Amino acid sequence: MKSDLIKKGPEKAPHRSLLKAIGLTDEEIKRPMVGVINAANEIIPGHINLDRVAAAVKAGVRMAGGTPIEFPSIGICDGISMNHIGMKYSLASRELIADSVEVMAIAHAFDALVAVTGCDKITPGMLMALIRLDIPAIIVNGGPMLPGRLRDKSLDLIDVFEAVGKFKTGSLDEAGLIELENAACPGCGSCAGMFTANSMGCLCEALGIALPGNGTIPAVHSDRLRLATESGMAVMHLLKKNIKPSDIINSKSLENALTVDMALGCSTNTVLHALAIAAEAGLKVDLNTVDAASSKTPNLCRIRPGGVHYLSDLHEAGGVHAVMKELSKANLLNTGVMTVTGKKLSENLKTAQVKDYEVIRPIGKPHTKTGGLTVLWGNLAPDGAVVKSSAVAPAMYKHSGPARVFDSEEVAYKAILGGKIKPGDVVVIRYEGPRGGPGMREMLSPTSAVIGMGLGEKVSLITDGRFSGGTRGAAIGHISPEAAAGGPIALIREGDTVSFDIPKKRISLEISDAELKKRAATFKPPKLKITTGYMRRYAEAVQSSNLGAVLKPVTED
């Protein structure tokens, strides 16, 4: 056992003394030591319940003969950090989370790990660490929030964001806005739609690194606690069999995750995280891989914001494994891969069943023949861009209009709420990329304002930043290269025509190559927006979004 490094032999008496100082008995010290990474805090709704989840995990570990030892992780609420400087820190926190788990696990010689996680960057950050450490491990999420209710209507956080635009246009008064604010988020859990947090919880199932039900069992259901207990027991089985993340996460299981991503219509942020996970695992995955998954996979689900259903509806319809069962009917999955159940995916799918074909479409009658995300290419995005096509109104699949150029989210948001954006406009928000932001902020406030002001089928947004999983409309993000790196998005001028065709996967700045080169010749890189602390170091080390916005690798001398 790895933990023998801190407990076996006479020379480890000082170490054992310290373990006894925290209350461990000799019997507990002899057992395998399992790190339980608890991301609980008192600011994120998706994490407020994680202490109970972690307690259930620890009970499962003890039942199966292990000694659980809990340690914390940081976490940022994307909703609360939205539309101010705090959002710059969200994506960047993924790397901190991965690094902190690494140092805790190695320094304390844990034999296995259970990651108790919830929201947007926390799950992928922990997943990256588990891959890096490659000791027996499992992920268990805190679960999705139930939708809110206001009279006869179901609600979620996005309704509140979009209500701000309605308030600004006068179609909703202050009392109505407060009524929505009070009803939309009824309790603990990650926000109720297929936003980034729930997308990642679902994709952990698809990867095989979490038990069935991980992505969809509501946070308030007792099944969530039972899943946590079973996860604690499962990690002990993984330890006994020496099944590690490298035995589970490989090119075939990652291909499965991308396929499920497209079938579910997950957040565009999953592209960033899939690329980062692949880089951590040493797998060759790029936007062409994502594009190939989208091209072959039918979109079977339209969960908010792409449709009217919520994660709780998906759970009642059979959950992620029911979607996978449907995909397997068309041989779209690699079912021979290992999972944290200790069984191959084919075994796990035997009992999966679609219970509601309104929520999960039959494989022969999908919403669309291609996936919920689309990669776009063109002279405006030579290295690619990403759009959640399943959340775009068909009227905006193709669009051409004048560019309204803004060099920050704040200025763009003010212009939108100020009524300065007109039907047909293409709102360009640049210098918000991984380096230029820094941190590649989500643009949920601008996109929600556009929807709330009734411009959702008339105005598009493009950015080198990114969009929330809650964004709907023609919102094209991850444009690469970013403006701060001199990408073509930096060269757009007010009034230039920008065109895109989502079905044809094209995005273009309608100027000549000669004019583009002329503008590029006069481009000067901007100064960093944050010049101190972690975000300064992050800006100097981060790579492009088409590489997953991971940090530059350390090179050997």
Side-chain angles (χ1 to χ4, degrees), residues 91 117 136 177 179 198 242 274-275 324 335 388 506:
L91 180 60
T117 178
L177 180 61
E179 192 175 33
N198 291 326
N242 195 31
L275 295 174
M324 296 176 79
T335 58
K388 187 169 183 172
R506 301 298 298 171

Side-chain angles (χ1 to χ4, degrees), residues 2 15 196 225 283 307 316 402 439 470 483 547:
K2 283 186 178 292
H15 304 67
T196 307
L225 296 180
L283 303 174
E316 291 172 6
L547 300 175

Side-chain angles (χ1 to χ4, degrees), residues 23 135 157 199 206 261 288 362 365 418 443 454 458 466 488 493 497 528 538 544:
I135 59 177
L157 179 66
S199 294
D261 190 335
N288 289 301
K365 295 182 180 180
M443 305 292 163
K458 301 170 185 177
R466 57 197 179 92
R493 294 177 180 171
T497 298
L528 292 177
Y538 178 86
S544 176

Side-chain angles (χ1 to χ4, degrees), residues 12 37 72 79 99 105-106 109-110 123 126 150 221 237 257 276 291 300 448 470 549:
K12 301 302 181 183
I37 316 152
D99 289 351
I106 293 176
F110 289 114
T123 299
M126 288 193 182
L150 184 58
H221 283 198
H237 177 74
D291 185 49
L300 303 182
S448 297

Side-chain angles (χ1 to χ4, degrees), residues 17 72 128 471 489:
S17 182
M128 290 163 66
T471 288
I489 190 172

Side-chain angles (χ1 to χ4, degrees), residues 302 368 389-390 392-399 474 500-503:
R302 289 287 169 94
T368 56
S389 46
S390 61
V392 179
M396 290 298 290
Y397 284 170
K398 295 174 65 176
H399 183 69
F500 60 83
D501 186 325
I502 293 173

Side-chain angles (χ1 to χ4, degrees), residues 6-20 29:
I6 62 168
K7 65 187 186 184
K8 191 173 183 179
E11 70 278 9
K12 301 302 181 183
H15 304 67
R16 291 193 298 273
S17 182
L18 290 169
L19 293 173
K20 290 177 180 179
I29 292 171

